[in-house]
Amino acid sequence: CLEIKAELEDYGYLKKTKQMKKAKIPLFDTYKLIDSTIYVGKNNVQNAYLTHKFAKGNDLWFHVKDAPGSHVILQGEISEEAIRLAANLAAYHSKLRLSSSVAVDYTSVKYIKKIPGRHNCFVTYTNQHTIYIDPDIEIIKQYKKK
């Protein structure tokens, strides 16, 4: 909530308050596999931080194709299980949550570029692969880091 309020203040939609302090590192959801960790941004601030500051060049970035949604970062060992979980998270945390066979694009973070003149969460990307996934909350619950 504080992240969203700070963003609205930055863009002039809300009057800035003196006591409002920006969170240096946004809190985002974390999911743990044996050799991998998956991070999910749930708003513009978290998405921009994850994609442009937190992620390294060889990490994988996931996002639903042609729809608004979370940026998902996969760090560590890349396995089919990790890719399917990250794609499931991207599909579940999007406008297409209730759809079946959701197209999720993924690529290395080094192929993500900011769009000039747009907010940091708007990006273009190349060298992507597409996976089709049915969002399933039960699978997601199994991996949620406590």
Side-chain angles (χ1 to χ4, degrees):
C1 183
L2 291 176
E3 294 165 348
I4 294 170
K5 186 174 180 185
E7 184 180 18
L8 291 172
E9 287 179 357
D10 287 345
Y11 294 123
Y13 294 111
L14 290 177
K15 185 177 177 182
K16 290 191 179 199
T17 57
K18 289 185 180 181
Q19 72 243 37
M20 184 68 196
K21 293 182 180 177
K22 282 188 181 179
K24 293 191 191 289
I25 299 175
L27 299 174
F28 33 79
D29 285 355
T30 304
Y31 297 84
K32 189 75 175 139
L33 285 84
I34 294 171
D35 295 325
S36 309
T37 306
I38 299 171
Y39 303 95
V40 181
K42 290 198 174 173
N43 58 45
N44 292 341
V45 173
Q46 292 177 3
N47 286 345
Y49 180 82
L50 271 177
T51 303
H52 303 299
K53 295 198 183 333
F54 183 80
K56 307 292 183 257
N58 289 327
D59 294 342
L60 288 183
W61 175 87
F62 293 76
H63 194 281
V64 290
K65 189 172 187 165
D66 301 326
S70 292
H71 293 203
V72 177
I73 301 293
L74 168 61
Q75 289 185 335
E77 187 71 29
I78 297 171
S79 63
E80 182 180 349
E81 177 187 19
I83 289 172
R84 294 186 67 73
L85 177 58
N88 195 348
L89 287 162
Y92 185 77
H93 293 290
S94 75
K95 295 276 186 184
L96 304 177
R97 169 186 299 199
L98 302 176
S99 303
S100 62
S101 194
V102 176
V104 176
D105 285 342
Y106 64 98
T107 189
S108 293
V109 170
K110 64 185 167 189
Y111 298 119
I112 308 293
K113 303 289 181 238
K114 295 179 187 179
I115 298 175
R118 299 290 303 263
H119 301 305
N120 282 339
C121 59
F122 289 96
V123 297
T124 60
Y125 51 92
T126 57
N127 300 344
Q128 72 270 18
H129 301 282
T130 303
I131 184 171
Y132 293 88
I133 200 100
D134 294 328
D136 186 350
I137 188 63
E138 296 307 317
I139 292 172
I140 292 171
K141 286 179 182 178
Q142 293 173 14
Y143 294 96
K144 178 74 174 155
K145 187 175 178 183
K146 306 268 190 266

